[in-house]
Amino acid sequence: FLISGHGTKGVFELLSGWRRTRENLPFKDRVADAYSDVMVSYTMTSSLYFIAFGMGASPFTNIEAVKVFCQNMCVSILLNYFYIFSFFGSCLVFAGQLEQNRYHSIFCCKIPSAEYLDRKPVWFQTMMNDGHQHTSHHETNPYQHHFIQHFLREHYNEWITNIYVKPFVVILYLIYASFSFMGCLQINDGANIINLLASESPSVSYALIQQKYFSNYSPVIGFYIYEPLEYWNGTVQEDLKTLSQGFNTVSWIEQYYQYLRVGNISATNKSDFISILQSSFLKKPEFQHFKNDIIFSKAGDENNIIASRLYLVARTSENTQREAIELLEKLRPLSLIQSIKFIVFNPTFVFMDHYGLSVTMPVLISGFGILLVLILTFFLVIHPLGNFWLILSVTSIELGVLGLMTLWNVDMDCISILCLIYTLNFAIDHCAPLLYTFVLATEHTRTQCIKNSLQVHGTAILQNVSSFLIGLVPLLFVPSNLTFTLFKCLLLAGSCTLLHCFVILPVFLTFFPPSKKHHKKKKRAKRKEREEIECIEIQENPDHVTAV
């Protein structure tokens, strides 16, 4: 789904560049014009994709799933680039040959004459019509008749640049920025196991009921002692009590100590301690379930306890997940500094470890990637103001997606972090051509420049984002919370990019620099210079006036 957004962008941009060429040109010239118009910017954006996901595939990423995903993305970007550069260009040449020789682009047969088609049914005319029946075949610019191009040129460009529409666009952006900022202040990490489960699975029902009724207790933590201990020693007993302090314990050790106290039995040495444990304590029905918690080994006639386990349950407040993570972070350092060698574990700790890193390391890596990408764009761009507007646009889209997905109850998990990195590239992919065409335009006013930019790139942007959003629809039918998170994030990325390209940027670029006055002065200077040259020619050749 992520690679389709970049791949279709290259397809639609190259197709748009091909359509802007004149049909009466040779194939070589048409391909050259299309590639020179599109492939420079597409090469730059592909490089930015490769750099951003290359950062995720680097050894700095400590989440293996993210690393593998980014590696696959890098390979896909390379294959996609060479596909656009080679195979798709060859398809355009083949389509151009069919078009020039008046062959049907689907059935590859000769298109009948207009007189023949008039005698056939409507469905036959529709299928065999090549779109040139009512105009000359070698029209100068047939792309102007494309229905999206016609709509943008004749209707949308005039409407969005209308002076009465601009105040409403400014208000819309202020609302957008307010909600984005409000969402950014409410960012949550993804420490919720429900997000990793299938939507209708029994595990979700269990987790919801557990959180609703028994959320005052942490998960049952396994406390594993993996070395022989002198359990009969008073110092060891005090250390175990200190470690389990503050927990509700389910422990054979506590039950055994209590059994010895109640029976007034002395077990102060190793032989008595193990002998009573095996022959008396573990034989009683109420204590037989502790047999699986103690591992004995026999060396000659002597028995030893080589490992044992007990269970801890901590009492927490309503924020169970966060307190459980803090509890885990406190227990683990103790296992390194205490004289007793132990480990603590619960199956949910796997997800807590995963989400404990979901906001720190990935954000740092993505932030470094964004900084590197922006530095590279600063050296690759043609105009510094274009780079400035690109940074503003990408930042606005990135913060918008981050804030709105928080308001849409999307946590900062692995999927959302990857989507945020992808949003950076997706925004550059679509905003950069529009902004640089505007900055380099030589029209007299900003309004004319933004109209020209939308006319050149608007069709490809609209086609690509629409195809991308329609391609997300199947994600709605996958019963998985992670997949639904992917759908939400990518839907916000496409919608915010479309909003900026067609609503916000066309209005704001008519208010702020770059100014187009110097283009007026240059054109006036050129016109004045041309008039002076004409006057000199007329003065040198007065008969020329008579001849004219």
Side-chain angles (χ1 to χ4, degrees):
F1 281 101
L2 298 185
I3 198 62
S4 67
H6 180 62
T8 52
K9 178 64 167 56
V11 167
F12 285 123
E13 279 287 356
L14 191 57
L15 188 60
S16 177
W18 173 267
R19 285 171 172 168
R20 285 195 295 268
T21 60
R22 289 184 299 170
E23 294 182 358
N24 55 356
L25 289 176
F27 302 136
K28 222 181 246 188
D29 295 340
R30 293 189 71 183
V31 173
D33 291 343
Y35 271 67
S36 63
D37 190 22
V38 173
M39 289 308 292
V40 175
S41 63
Y42 189 68
T43 302
M44 186 184 76
T45 53
S46 297
S47 303
L48 296 180
Y49 267 86
F50 194 80
I51 292 168
F53 286 102
M55 291 292 300
S58 66
F60 298 105
T61 304
N62 53 1
I63 301 176
E64 192 64 27
V66 176
K67 190 183 296 185
V68 172
F69 175 83
C70 291
Q71 289 171 354
N72 291 332
M73 279 294 294
C74 291
V75 174
S76 301
I77 289 164
L78 286 177
L79 292 176
N80 175 76
Y81 179 79
F82 287 112
Y83 168 82
I84 299 294
F85 194 74
S86 57
F87 180 75
F88 188 69
S90 303
C91 293
L92 288 180
V93 173
F94 180 67
Q97 290 178 341
L98 295 176
E99 188 180 86
Q100 194 172 61
N101 297 322
R102 289 187 58 78
Y103 277 86
H104 200 280
S105 58
I106 298 176
F107 305 114
C108 298
C109 61
K110 195 77 172 178
I111 295 177
S113 62
E115 294 78 11
Y116 179 81
L117 286 175
D118 290 337
R119 299 193 299 268
K120 294 296 180 179
V122 177
W123 65 267
F124 186 83
Q125 295 180 20
T126 305
M127 292 186 65
M128 300 303 296
N129 188 7
D130 66 343
H132 296 289
Q133 303 300 326
H134 303 291
T135 58
S136 60
H137 178 56
H138 294 296
E139 193 176 355
T140 307
N141 195 358
Y143 189 42
Q144 298 296 326
H145 295 284
H146 191 278
F147 71 97
I148 299 179
Q149 189 80 357
H150 177 77
F151 171 76
L152 291 176
R153 184 181 67 255
E154 300 296 334
H155 304 287
Y156 185 77
N157 286 351
E158 299 296 332
W159 177 79
I160 196 62
T161 55
N162 190 294
I163 192 172
Y164 298 106
V165 175
K166 292 179 181 179
F168 293 99
V169 173
V170 174
I171 295 172
L172 175 65
Y173 183 74
L174 292 177
I175 296 172
Y176 164 85
S178 302
F179 277 95
S180 302
F181 182 71
M182 183 171 61
C184 290
L185 297 178
Q186 303 175 19
I187 295 176
N188 296 320
D189 64 359
N192 192 347
I193 192 174
I194 296 177
N195 293 334
L196 301 175
L197 303 173
S199 303
E200 305 298 331
S201 66
S203 301
V204 172
S205 302
Y206 162 78
L208 291 174
I209 293 172
Q210 194 273 338
Q211 290 180 6
K212 182 177 181 181
Y213 295 108
F214 303 100
S215 59
N216 289 335
Y217 295 93
S218 72
V220 178
I221 302 170
F223 187 95
Y224 302 88
I225 302 171
Y226 57 92
E227 69 169 0
L229 278 182
E230 297 180 354
Y231 294 96
W232 53 92
N233 191 321
T235 305
V236 173
Q237 295 174 12
E238 289 299 324
D239 288 342
L240 288 173
K241 286 182 180 179
T242 303
L243 288 173
S244 60
Q245 188 175 3
F247 293 92
N248 297 325
T249 60
V250 181
S251 167
W252 69 270
I253 299 176
E254 287 191 358
Q255 294 293 328
Y256 185 49
Y257 292 158
Q258 186 177 0
Y259 173 79
L260 293 175
R261 285 194 300 268
V262 171
N264 198 18
I265 302 172
S266 176
T268 56
N269 56 59
K270 178 181 178 181
S271 59
D272 293 342
F273 187 91
I274 295 178
S275 175
I276 296 170
L277 177 64
Q278 287 182 314
S279 62
S280 178
F281 178 75
L282 295 178
K283 296 291 184 180
K284 293 197 174 286
E286 63 268 28
F287 301 129
Q288 283 184 353
H289 62 278
F290 287 126
K291 285 184 177 180
N292 296 325
D293 295 340
I294 308 169
I295 306 298
F296 293 98
S297 72
K298 191 171 184 179
D301 296 333
E302 191 178 37
N303 290 326
N304 294 309
I305 301 175
I306 60 173
S308 67
R309 68 180 177 185
L310 54 144
Y311 297 100
L312 309 176
V313 179
R315 187 170 181 83
T316 60
S317 61
E318 294 181 358
N319 192 7
T320 309
Q321 300 290 339
R322 170 50 54 192
E323 292 195 9
I325 292 177
E326 294 175 356
L327 185 66
L328 179 64
E329 292 173 351
K330 290 178 182 177
L331 279 173
R332 281 182 170 170
L334 290 176
S335 66
L336 301 176
I337 62 176
Q338 290 289 331
S339 58
I340 300 175
K341 301 299 182 184
F342 69 91
I343 56 174
V344 289
F345 182 74
N346 180 276
T348 57
F349 288 176
V350 176
F351 307 108
M352 291 178 184
D353 284 342
H354 169 71
Y355 284 123
L357 299 171
S358 65
V359 182
T360 53
M361 283 303 297
V363 167
L364 291 176
I365 292 171
S366 60
F368 184 72
I370 291 170
L371 181 63
L372 182 62
V373 165
L374 294 179
I375 292 174
L376 287 173
T377 55
F378 182 79
F379 293 103
L380 290 174
V381 296
I382 305 170
H383 199 285
L385 273 175
N387 186 45
F388 175 75
W389 273 107
L390 182 61
I391 293 173
L392 287 182
S393 304
V394 171
T395 304
S396 177
I397 294 172
E398 191 83 7
L399 293 178
V401 172
L402 179 61
L404 293 176
M405 79 179 192
T406 305
L407 296 179
W408 203 357
N409 298 322
V410 176
D411 294 324
M412 291 289 289
D413 55 17
C414 177
I415 297 296
S416 57
I417 287 290
L418 288 173
C419 289
L420 285 175
I421 299 174
Y422 175 74
T423 300
L424 165 76
N425 296 277
F426 193 80
I428 292 176
D429 220 354
H430 293 78
C431 294
L434 189 71
L435 288 169
Y436 295 141
T437 303
F438 170 81
V439 169
L440 299 176
T442 57
E443 276 73 11
H444 289 241
T445 62
R446 298 190 186 98
T447 301
Q448 291 177 348
C449 290
I450 195 61
K451 286 181 179 179
N452 178 62
S453 301
L454 283 174
Q455 193 170 333
V456 173
H457 298 287
T459 302
I461 293 174
L462 186 61
Q463 287 174 328
N464 181 58
V465 176
S466 302
S467 302
F468 180 70
L469 295 179
I470 292 171
L472 297 177
V473 174
L475 292 177
L476 286 172
F477 304 101
V478 179
S480 170
N481 290 307
L482 281 181
T483 309
F484 196 54
T485 297
L486 179 67
F487 170 79
K488 288 180 178 180
C489 294
L490 295 184
L491 178 64
L492 288 174
S495 302
C496 291
T497 303
L498 198 65
L499 177 70
H500 279 73
C501 288
F502 282 93
V503 179
I504 295 172
L505 285 177
V507 172
F508 278 68
L509 287 173
T510 59
F511 296 152
F512 302 106
S515 174
K516 299 298 178 181
K517 290 183 179 180
H518 62 282
H519 292 303
K520 290 183 182 180
K521 293 179 180 178
K522 286 182 179 179
K523 287 191 175 183
R524 287 174 183 170
K526 288 182 180 179
R527 191 184 303 115
K528 186 176 180 182
E529 183 181 355
R530 188 166 60 249
E531 290 174 354
E532 289 176 353
I533 292 173
E534 290 174 354
C535 290
I536 292 171
E537 290 177 350
I538 291 173
Q539 289 175 1
E540 291 178 351
N541 188 8
D543 296 336
H544 178 71
V545 179
T546 307
V548 171

